[in-house]
Amino acid sequence: MLAIRRSDERGHASHGWLDSFHSFSFADYHDPEHVHYGALRVLNDDRIAGGQGFGAHGHRDMEIVTYVLSGGLAHRDSMGNGSTIRPGDVQRMSAGTGVMHSEFNASREEEAHLLQIWLLPRERGGAPGYEEKRFADEDKRGRLRVVASPDGRDGSVTVQSDASIYAALIDGDERAVYAVPAGRRVYVHVARGALDVSGARLEAGDAAMIEAEAAVALANGKQAEVLLFDLA
C-alpha cells in the first residue's frame, strides 16, 4: 500500500526570516492525522534568511537529525560542540535528559535550506550526545546511502531510535531499489527535483507512506534528492 501526501498538504509557517513546511504536527500546526509515522515525529523543510536563526533553546528525549540542502548552518550547544554544517553533512544531536543549542544561518546574505528531522528515542532519559558525518554526492548517486541508523552501520551517524535514514540522488536512467525488511514501513520524502516512487510521480516536498510492500523503487529522476526512512 502506497499513500501520497503532496507538498501543499503540509503545514506552513512564515515568520519573515523563516519559511517552514511541516510534514507532521509542529508548533502551531496541529494535524491529528499526521502526528508521527512510526518513530518519525518531525520533518520540517526550513529556509532561513541570511544572518537569522534560532537562538538558544532546549530539547529533551528526542533524536534530532539535520540534513542541509544548501547554504550552511552554524550550530552551538551546551555540550561544547560548535560547527557549521553544509550540504553533504548529516548532524545528529541526542537531546536525552536535556540540552541547549542554537542554530543560525552561517551566511549573512545567502539563504540556508535544510531538513530538520526528529525521531522518537527508544528510551527516555538517555545521555545527551552529538555526532556529524559527511557523505559525498558520489556515495548517493544512483543508490541509497544509509546516513543514520541505530547501529551506526557503514559509517552512518548513530541514532537511539528504531529508524534508519537513507539518502539518494536520482537523475535520468539511475534507479535504486530498497528491499523492505519484513514488518517495516517506509516513508519517502522528496527534498528537491522529481522522481517516480514505485511508479507514482512525486515532486519536491511530496512524500509517500508505504506499508506491506516488499520493495520500494526510485526511478526516472529529474535532479532528485530524496530521503527514505525505514521505520517500525
Side-chain angles (χ1 to χ4, degrees):
M1 181 185 73
L2 183 150
I4 297 174
R5 190 172 188 218
R6 297 297 179 186
S7 175
D8 60 5
E9 297 173 358
R10 299 177 294 175
H12 181 232
S14 179
H15 303 286
W17 63 273
L18 171 67
D19 191 58
S20 182
F21 285 90
H22 310 318
S23 296
F24 301 95
S25 289
F26 185 84
D28 293 332
Y29 169 59
H30 301 286
D31 184 349
E33 298 299 316
H34 298 93
V35 176
H36 67 96
Y37 191 70
L40 179 56
R41 174 62 187 84
V42 167
L43 200 168
N44 288 350
D45 186 343
D46 291 345
R47 295 179 183 269
I48 304 172
Q52 301 295 317
F54 305 92
H57 59 284
H59 294 284
R60 63 180 300 127
D61 291 320
M62 199 66 67
E63 296 291 296
I64 300 172
V65 177
T66 303
Y67 188 97
V68 178
L69 294 164
S70 65
L73 190 71
H75 167 94
R76 299 289 183 275
D77 65 43
S78 55
M79 295 178 284
N81 301 298
S83 66
T84 297
I85 57 173
R86 301 190 182 279
D89 295 333
V90 174
Q91 177 198 77
R92 182 269 300 170
M93 187 178 76
S94 298
T97 53
V99 65
M100 298 287 292
H101 77 142
S102 64
E103 299 166 296
F104 280 86
N105 188 332
S107 168
R108 300 200 64 83
E109 295 82 25
E110 297 179 358
E111 178 183 83
H113 184 197
L114 59 103
L115 301 176
Q116 186 159 106
I117 300 153
W118 294 9
L119 301 171
L120 298 170
R122 279 176 162 159
E123 297 179 359
R124 297 170 64 88
Y130 180 90
E131 185 181 15
E132 64 180 69
K133 296 283 184 70
R134 183 164 187 80
F135 301 92
D137 282 358
E138 53 264 33
D139 290 337
K140 298 175 279 187
R141 173 60 58 200
R143 63 186 291 261
L144 285 156
R145 172 62 161 100
V146 63
V147 297
S149 65
D151 55 2
R153 65 183 176 276
D154 296 332
S156 60
V157 299
T158 303
V159 291
Q160 308 302 316
S161 178
D162 191 0
S164 294
I165 306 174
Y166 297 79
L169 300 172
I170 305 292
D171 194 37
D173 294 334
E174 295 168 343
R175 176 181 172 88
V177 176
Y178 184 71
V180 184
R184 306 289 290 183
R185 70 185 80 178
V186 167
Y187 188 94
V188 176
H189 175 81
V190 182
R192 53 186 167 195
L195 80 165
D196 293 346
V197 178
S198 293
R201 192 66 175 174
L202 270 64
E203 307 282 339
D206 293 346
M209 292 163 282
I210 302 162
E211 298 186 27
E213 297 287 345
V216 177
L218 308 178
N220 298 320
K222 185 177 180 181
Q223 298 180 340
E225 185 161 9
V226 60
L227 294 184
L228 182 149
F229 298 80
D230 177 308
L231 305 158

